[in-house]
Amino acid sequence: MSEYQYYEFQAIDRPLTEKEQQAVAQLSSRVSPHPRRAVFTYSFGGSLGRRPEDLLAEYYDAMLHLANWGSRQLAFRFPKSLIDAEQMQQYNVVTTDYSSNAVGVYTKGEYVILDIQLYKEEGFGWIEGEGWLDSLVGLRDAILRRDDRLLYLAWLKGLSLTYDVDQDALEPPVPPGLGNLTAALDSFVELFDIDEELLQVAAERSAPPAKKVSEDDLARAIAQLSPGEKDAFLLRLARGEPHLSLALTRRLGALRGAAPPGTAKRRTVSELMAAAEALRETSRRERAAQAKARRIAELEALARRGEAAWQEVDALIQKSQAKAYGQAVQLLLDLRDLAGHQGQETAFQVRIEQITAQYQRRHSLIRRFRGAKLI
């Protein structure tokens, strides 16, 4: 299989200058200067020539890297003043040697980088990268608004990809709303193949999404700001400071005494994994029971046909065609299952022997009987 790599970068907070666009375009002859976006695709080897994380830190706010051998990387750049890096680092996967996996958080200059890198040895299969970052880029704004569901989902995925996870380690704070994901989070779950049962178990301790703050509550919080603090916010607004609304919202939340998210009792890794496996086993039993019920209904419908089903077998054999032979064999297999369901295996065997004797010269048919273990 040919190699396939896809890199996409997006600038959100500000467009790139002409000089910056030219610097990025020099990395590949196939990339045209653009103030907001750059895409690099490699199908037969090749590389960026720079670490993608460095390119992100210098110019962009979001990055996605996909490779057909199993690499999935989603990274965001945040202004350092708006991010609690220490709080985000709680979502690293703790291994037995206390190294981390899946969620990397580090400072680079005036920015904090969130780097989610997940690998799967057998690969995810070939996937086109176009359009994925557009569906995921809203997660950056969610992180800025202290929505940690992306971090928790990345932590969950890291559990399934790391063999030496500390089983006694506690899960990180469980953010609210895990049972009610946004479209962007659904895209992340799909692209990174988050385990369905593990997510369902994790969501059991997740509170409902926070209710929207009323205008009256906001007004009361604003009234608590000193005149000097209000003037400072207005001055920052006049200067066009990015994300000022976030800073103000957090300040007002502190004045309102808003409760921090993720206060549910935390489980150990082993408890989560055991609960997910129990849920998988329950699902398997339910699917098996449903399949058995469907099969019984099919067999009972066949039983109502009575002798007509055997007549159809004979009519199919009489056609002397490969397709008809295949249909005859399938119908006989269904009749065998019906005999087992009704406890009439001996009667079925007698009919099969009669058919075999009648058509013993049809060697192709007999080979099919043997292949299906009817004789």
Side-chain angles (χ1 to χ4, degrees), residues 14-26 33-35 59:
R14 70 165 183 85
L16 272 64
T17 65
E18 289 288 342
K19 182 178 180 180
E20 289 171 332
Q21 293 176 50
Q22 292 297 331
V24 172
Q26 288 177 5
H34 193 282
Y59 299 117

Side-chain angles (χ1 to χ4, degrees), residues 110-242:
E110 59 185 277
Y111 297 105
V112 169
I113 306 298
L114 168 63
D115 188 4
I116 300 171
Q117 296 193 49
L118 303 174
Y119 301 92
K120 191 173 182 179
E121 289 183 0
E122 64 271 27
F124 289 84
W126 194 281
I127 183 170
E128 294 295 332
E130 188 70 30
W132 277 107
L133 187 54
D134 288 337
S135 70
L136 297 166
V137 75
L139 298 173
R140 179 177 183 268
D141 184 66
I143 292 290
L144 285 168
R145 296 182 182 280
R146 302 288 174 88
D147 180 346
D148 292 336
R149 286 179 290 181
L150 169 63
L151 298 170
Y152 190 95
L153 290 174
W155 178 81
L156 278 184
K157 183 61 182 180
L159 294 185
S160 65
L161 299 179
T162 304
Y163 297 105
D164 56 349
V165 175
D166 182 356
Q167 295 296 307
D168 294 325
L170 292 176
E171 65 183 324
V174 183
L178 277 178
N180 184 25
L181 300 182
T182 63
L185 288 168
D186 281 335
S187 292
F188 182 82
V189 168
E190 179 183 356
L191 181 62
F192 285 81
D193 193 27
I194 308 297
D195 183 272
E196 181 179 344
E197 285 77 22
L198 197 54
L199 175 54
Q200 186 174 338
V201 167
E204 292 174 357
R205 296 280 178 91
S206 177
K211 294 182 179 179
K212 186 177 180 180
V213 181
S214 69
E215 291 191 8
D216 289 341
D217 287 339
L218 286 175
R220 282 191 287 270
I222 290 172
Q224 296 180 57
L225 293 172
S226 68
E229 196 169 10
K230 291 178 182 178
D231 289 344
F233 272 112
L234 287 173
L235 181 59
R236 293 164 68 184
L237 176 63
R239 290 173 175 168
E241 180 181 322

